[in-house]
Amino acid sequence: MGRRPCCSKEEGLNRGAWTAEEDRILTDYVKAHGEGRWANLPKRAGLKRCGKSCRLRWLNYLRPGIKRGNISPDEEELIMRLHKLLGNRWCLIAGRLPGRSDNEIKNYWNSFLSKRARKDDIPRRKPPELQRYSDRLEDRANLQPKQNVDTSGNLSSTDQPSPREEKPSMSLGAFWAAALKCSEGATDPEPRVSRQQDQHSTCFGITNKDTRPHPPIDGDILPKESENVEVANNGSAFKLLSCSHRKDDVAENTEEDPVMDFDIGDVCLSDLLDADLTGSSSSSSPPFSDPQPAISSEELMLQDWNLIIDSHQADNVWAPNHIVQYSSSSYIFDSPEVELLWER
DNA sequence: AAACCTATCAACCGCTCCTTG
DNA sequence: ACAAGGAGCGGTTGATAGGTT
């Protein structure tokens, strides 16, 4: 489909900084008619501005409750931690900081925190099994440089990108993001889940069979209840027992049950979590069922290595009743982050 | 005092996805 | 099923202020 030229290229529109008068007109109009219909707003309100520009101005500066400047140390720390998990997904990060706009956080990051993050970055160490797997892939790629290595570690003879490469899988990284998105909906008294946020059917929760009090969680990040994933106390950690939702069920259950499974690319989260990773990569029972192309768990983890938080980071606080033991890894459902440990 | 450099941040831009007809 | 329009996101740009030489 063709795209309309950007409205900012239209003749006769004001550009650059907004004047106080323009602000007043926009504020009055939105207060009277509500948000939305941005494309028509300038004409109706009598503003010589692009609709997108009006939307941006309203969301970033004029809407009620917006905070400007003076980002507190707490907010700064939260931004750092969320960015570590979510990357440059500013709208999601902003969603965790009431009154802050994605633009402000993005600017703050680019001008200050990115430098700090680089300075603080700890070199990340791959666990030995992943390092070996990574080396094997590299060796094979070197032997046959014109061949692609597909996501299952197999070689393909075509130069065309595989479908998976064309459309990247929802990664473990996205899984973390999904958990955060879910928490946002669950904690906000007036959930504002955007269409785009909703598109992956992203919600996830665990049943905490432990009866110990829920530890204080910043913003109470995860849903407190779930009927879908059972977690049992295993002494120092919790082992995932089951995950009842299949991706086929999600559509029907979405309405009444906010907790659901979701796809991680071609696989279901429950598949990933149910899979047995303790065996070698040549295990006779592949973790993910046909007809999906086999994707090894090693590969999945390798792909997402950069999103894994190193267990040596000093500020990690582990709450044993929020750990899901998964093979040699442990998923931690605690604090604003969902974290993954190796060989815990 | 002037020129230059750097940091900040508001705004722009292009792209993607969703909704609607 | 398809196309067009609406909306939102994230990267980038450019104006400006403040600091340094």
Side-chain angles (χ1 to χ4, degrees):
Chain A
M1 103 193 163
R3 235 175 15 101
R4 276 198 325 168
C6 178
C7 54
S8 64
K9 296 213 173 85
E10 288 172 21
E11 296 288 332
L13 293 183
N14 291 344
R15 303 185 63 185
W18 280 64
T19 65
E21 178 65 9
E22 286 177 315
D23 283 347
R24 187 190 60 76
I25 293 170
L26 177 58
T27 304
D28 289 349
Y29 185 89
V30 174
K31 279 181 181 168
H33 300 93
E35 295 181 35
R37 311 295 298 174
W38 297 107
N40 295 333
L41 186 149
K43 196 175 282 184
R44 293 172 188 268
L47 281 166
K48 289 184 176 179
R49 288 276 179 178
C50 160
K52 291 171 90 171
S53 182
C54 293
R55 174 184 162 273
L56 201 67
R57 185 69 185 172
W58 172 257
L59 292 178
N60 288 345
Y61 304 98
L62 300 177
R63 70 183 154 103
I66 198 79
K67 280 192 274 186
R68 306 291 311 285
N70 297 326
I71 289 184
S72 70
D74 283 350
E75 286 176 311
E76 191 180 296
E77 182 62 23
L78 189 54
I79 293 168
M80 291 286 287
R81 297 174 73 177
L82 289 172
H83 187 271
K84 204 179 285 177
L85 285 157
L86 301 171
N88 296 354
R89 301 177 71 179
W90 306 115
C91 64
L92 287 178
I93 295 172
R96 302 290 306 163
L97 290 137
R100 300 293 184 185
S101 72
D102 54 357
N103 207 35
E104 182 176 23
I105 291 168
K106 177 171 60 182
N107 283 332
Y108 190 70
W109 176 269
N110 288 335
S111 59
F112 176 63
L113 293 183
S114 61
K115 293 164 197 160
R116 203 181 103 184
R118 276 198 294 272
K119 198 177 111 198
D120 293 349
D121 196 29
I122 298 166
R124 289 172 175 176
R125 164 187 54 83
K126 288 179 185 175
E129 65 269 28
L130 281 189
Q131 186 57 59
R132 282 195 298 276
Y133 183 68
S134 174
D135 292 345
R136 282 208 310 276
L137 288 181
E138 233 171 76
D139 289 347
R140 282 196 277 185
N142 289 338
L143 282 171
Q144 293 171 287
K146 293 215 168 184
Q147 292 179 314
N148 293 329
V149 179
D150 69 23
T151 49
S152 62
N154 297 324
L155 296 172
S156 71
S157 58
T158 172
D159 287 330
Q160 295 298 316
S162 70
R164 186 184 291 278
E165 286 165 334
E166 285 168 354
K167 187 174 184 179
S169 303
M170 183 175 180
S171 64
L172 286 175
F175 160 43
W176 308 147
L180 286 160
K181 286 181 202 174
C182 182
S183 74
E184 188 182 347
T187 57
D188 192 334
E190 293 178 86
R192 299 175 308 277
V193 180
S194 75
R195 285 179 286 117
Q196 288 187 358
Q197 283 178 323
D198 207 26
Q199 69 198 30
H200 292 303
S201 300
T202 51
C203 263
F204 178 70
I206 59 173
T207 296
N208 188 350
K209 296 290 186 187
D210 193 320
T211 55
R212 282 172 290 180
H214 200 291
I217 293 175
D218 186 359
D220 222 357
I221 192 72
L222 285 171
K224 287 182 183 132
E225 332 183 307
S226 161
E227 300 161 6
N228 309 96
V229 181
E230 294 185 2
V231 183
N233 192 338
N234 188 23
S236 63
F238 284 71
K239 183 174 177 62
L240 184 74
L241 296 178
S242 70
C243 186
S244 62
H245 270 314
R246 303 294 304 185
K247 55 185 167 187
D248 298 334
D249 301 329
V250 168
E252 292 102 53
N253 294 331
T254 305
E255 283 298 317
E256 62 270 22
D257 189 348
V259 180
M260 65 189 77
D261 201 357
F262 55 88
D263 293 348
I264 302 174
D266 291 332
V267 302
C268 207
L269 172 64
S270 55
D271 291 331
L272 174 64
L273 293 177
D274 281 337
D276 178 11
L277 288 186
T278 54
S280 69
S281 60
S282 59
S283 165
S284 60
S285 53
F288 311 116
S289 59
D290 292 327
Q292 301 296 348
I295 176 166
S296 78
S297 46
E298 288 173 321
E299 176 81 23
L300 252 181
M301 289 188 285
L302 186 64
Q303 287 172 352
D304 295 283
W305 173 248
N306 288 335
L307 290 154
I308 293 163
I309 294 182
D310 191 276
S311 60
H312 292 301
Q313 284 186 228
D315 60 349
N316 289 337
V317 178
W318 310 114
N321 54 329
H322 285 77
I323 294 170
V324 177
Q325 184 80 32
Y326 177 42
S327 181
S328 58
S329 307
S330 299
Y331 296 87
I332 311 298
F333 295 91
D334 179 36
S335 79
E337 298 86 358
V338 181
E339 297 174 331
L340 175 61
L341 280 178
W342 291 105
E343 301 171 307
R344 183 174 170 83

